[in-house]
Amino acid sequence: MPELKNRITDDMKSAMKAKDKDALKAIRMILGAIKQIEVDERIELDDTQVLAVIQKMVKQRKDSISQFQAANRSDLVKVEEAELVIINNYMPEQFSEDEISVVVDKVIADSNASSMQDMGKLMGLLKGQLMGKADMAVVSKLIRSKLS
């Protein structure tokens, strides 16, 4: 069993013992999403794939928070933010915008990218390097600013 999935399972057991309902709910959601993919595709996810599932959940929470804020639903914002904090515990250390910029500059130089037509190629190269370590929306914004 992958290391990250083991850690999540162990944290679920700890949350059960501590009777931490909020953490337990969020952890069960993560494990449910992982199990759903494993059952649908009849595979066991490795750490990279588990990280992709968690990253998708983080993005969903951020989108929900912005929509709930726009609708003045502070009660739902609090719930989503609490889940986001717990889910973020399983994400690797995030790069700062300066660190992302250094990686983007290096990839642009290495690939001889010169225009926005190279955007897709750059995103593909950077996704492998920055998976889980950076928000790809920030990466995309940096590439656009550097190529235009």
Side-chain angles (χ1 to χ4, degrees):
M1 188 182 271
E3 188 177 315
L4 184 56
K5 193 170 154 187
N6 277 337
R7 184 174 144 220
I8 296 168
T9 304
D10 291 343
D11 287 352
M12 183 178 74
K13 292 173 187 172
S14 299
M16 285 176 161
K17 288 177 184 172
K19 297 185 186 329
D20 185 349
K21 292 180 181 178
D22 294 333
L24 189 58
K25 177 184 167 200
I27 293 169
R28 281 184 171 156
M29 247 188 303
I30 295 169
L31 287 172
I34 292 168
K35 183 62 76 179
Q36 180 71 45
I37 292 171
E38 288 180 339
V39 169
D40 289 350
E41 298 181 16
R42 294 188 173 123
I43 58 170
E44 183 170 347
L45 300 181
D46 61 19
D47 279 344
T48 306
Q49 293 165 317
V50 170
L51 186 60
V53 170
I54 293 170
Q55 196 170 21
K56 182 178 178 183
M57 293 180 80
V58 167
K59 184 178 184 318
Q60 288 170 339
R61 296 298 168 290
K62 287 180 180 179
D63 291 345
S64 296
I65 289 169
S66 66
Q67 289 176 4
F68 290 146
Q69 285 173 336
N72 291 325
R73 294 294 310 265
S74 60
D75 55 328
L76 296 175
V77 169
K78 288 178 185 173
V79 170
E80 293 291 325
E81 285 175 341
E83 289 175 4
L84 184 59
V85 167
I86 294 165
I87 294 169
N88 270 329
N89 288 334
Y90 302 104
M91 292 290 290
E93 187 72 31
Q94 297 292 298
F95 282 4
S96 69
E97 197 162 328
D98 293 337
E99 292 170 318
I100 296 169
S101 183
V102 169
V103 174
V104 169
D105 288 339
K106 184 178 183 323
V107 170
I108 288 173
D110 291 349
S111 65
N112 295 321
S114 59
S115 69
M116 287 301 292
Q117 292 177 334
D118 298 319
M119 178 87 174
K121 179 173 77 171
L122 290 172
M123 286 299 288
L125 293 169
L126 288 164
K127 191 170 187 173
Q129 292 181 23
L130 298 174
M131 179 67 167
K133 298 175 187 165
D135 183 354
M136 294 311 285
V138 173
V139 173
S140 175
K141 184 181 81 172
L142 281 170
I143 292 172
R144 288 179 202 281
S145 69
K146 292 176 186 299
L147 291 181
S148 56

